[in-house]
Amino acid sequence: MKKNLAIVGLQWGDEGKGKIVDILSKAYDCVARYQGGHNAGHTVSVGSRRHVLHLIPSGIFHPSVKCVIGSGVVLDPLAFIEESEAVCDATSASVEGRLFISNRCHLILPYHRALEEAIENQLGDRRIGTTNRGIGPAYEDKMGRRGIRVCDLMNPETLPQKIREQVVEKNRILETLRHPQVIDPQPICDSYAQYGEKIRPFVTDTSVMLNDMIRNGKSILFEGAQGTLLDVDHGTFPFVTSSSAAAGGAAIGLGVSPKHVHAVIGISKAYTTRVGSGPFPTESLDSAGECLRTRGNEYGSTTGRPRRCGWFDGPAARYATMINALDSVAITKIDVLDAFEEIPFCTGYKYKGSTLKEFPADSATLAALTPVYQNIRGWKKSLADLKEWSDLPPAAQDYLKFLSDYLGVPISMVSTGPGREATIHL
Ligand code: GDP
Ligand code: IMO
Ligand code: MG
């Protein structure tokens, strides 16, 4: 039996999951997204073309691979329609028959975005710095057991009533939050009825589909969005997203048993970035951080915001390694470090004079601690597009070995550029 594999981000997202999932997916029968929504931005470079996927799994550029958007994803149907059309245009091929949406996905509606804006505005300096896609409020409605799902969208007779009830409630909350917008339900009912018809060919019971595939010996790659440090349970709460990005989310978000997740690979940059607010112990606010941003082109794939940049955070990555019980790690963007004489690597945290043993739960502690760095010799040579371990200068090999030893897991891949070929397989 082939192994099913989960791919997860180890940091605060944007680790290069899209590239790695694209490369690995050709060996799988199916790629399934299990959480998040169109807050994600997964870049896949095929030849000279760069595609940014938000909802569609990163296996879509392999025609033989089936792609599933699982029930743990919150779906903005318009975002899906636009993205699937863009993929069809880019590939000159239809995605029908190989792209599937769970009938149990919760929907994002326009009032979710209005609520998110109102809440972020109220928070002022304490705002999360969300992607403003309505993700958090949609998950709130799911957990509050009042969300509207894709199966509701498939039923045009009962859908308007469900939308209207929610709009009454949401307008009440928006007024309390002194938000100027009043939501009119009619245009939502009209447009969502149309979206429902457009996405109907893609909708199915994906839990049944995936379990059938598993029974028939097919292999599945579970694609995580965001990263472990943005996971709602295990991340730097409250500066997290609203879903289970860690490997445990794969089973919940797809309706398959945890028994079917056989292996987990964690993706991490060779340094660290973060978009939005929240603690970031190894953030570099000086010219080194600026150099990482410029060399790594660190601007959000979804919102275009500049990413905050800093050094590899060992304790955070070790914590994420534990949460996901990684089999191996894939290190991306090692080429971005080419410019540095010395590379600081955070090996521990000091807090109020003592060394912290565990990754702290409290964001205030994380924001107040002092990282302890070990400086590692740089290589000052271009690693761009290298494909063989033996072509890496000894100093780059040493950096990667140090990182692997620190985490206690082997490195299975090293990425040296955005393209598919710029990859060292170990
Ligand atoms: P994801 O959200 O984890 O899929 O990552 P993003 O796509 O948001 O961000 C990763 C960015 O780094 C994208 O622009 C990729 O094209 C790019 N990238 C991925 N791997 C490498 C690499 O090894 N080197 C360089 N220079 N860029 C890379
Ligand atoms: P991928 O899959 C990086 C961040 C936002 C914000 C927080 C909450 O491309 O790695 P949300 O809109 O989810 O409620 O915002 O999470 N965030 C991401 N950061 N990469 C992502 O996705 C992200 N998705 C959400 O910036 O700090
Ligand atoms: Mg991204």
Side-chain angles (χ1 to χ4, degrees), residues 13-18 39-43 52-53 226 300-302 307:
D14 303 327
E15 298 90 348
K17 299 176 293 293
N39 49 351
H42 297 168
T43 312
V52 182
L53 298 165
Q226 287 81 52
S301 317
T302 295
R307 295 176 183 146

Side-chain angles (χ1 to χ4, degrees), residues 13-34:
D14 303 327
E15 298 90 348
K17 299 176 293 293
K19 164 175 168 162
I20 302 295
V21 170
D22 166 64
I23 291 178
L24 295 180
S25 57
K26 64 174 186 294
Y28 289 80
D29 297 299
C30 176
V31 177
R33 259 286 294 274
Y34 57 85

Side-chain angles (χ1 to χ4, degrees), residues 12-14 17 39-42 116 128-132 135-136 225-226 230 240-241 275-277 305:
W12 285 286
D14 303 327
K17 299 176 293 293
N39 49 351
H42 297 168
E116 181 167 339
I128 310 290
T130 67
T131 59
N132 217 355
I135 305 291
Q226 287 81 52
L230 286 172
V240 292
T241 192
V275 210
S277 331
R305 290 179 289 176

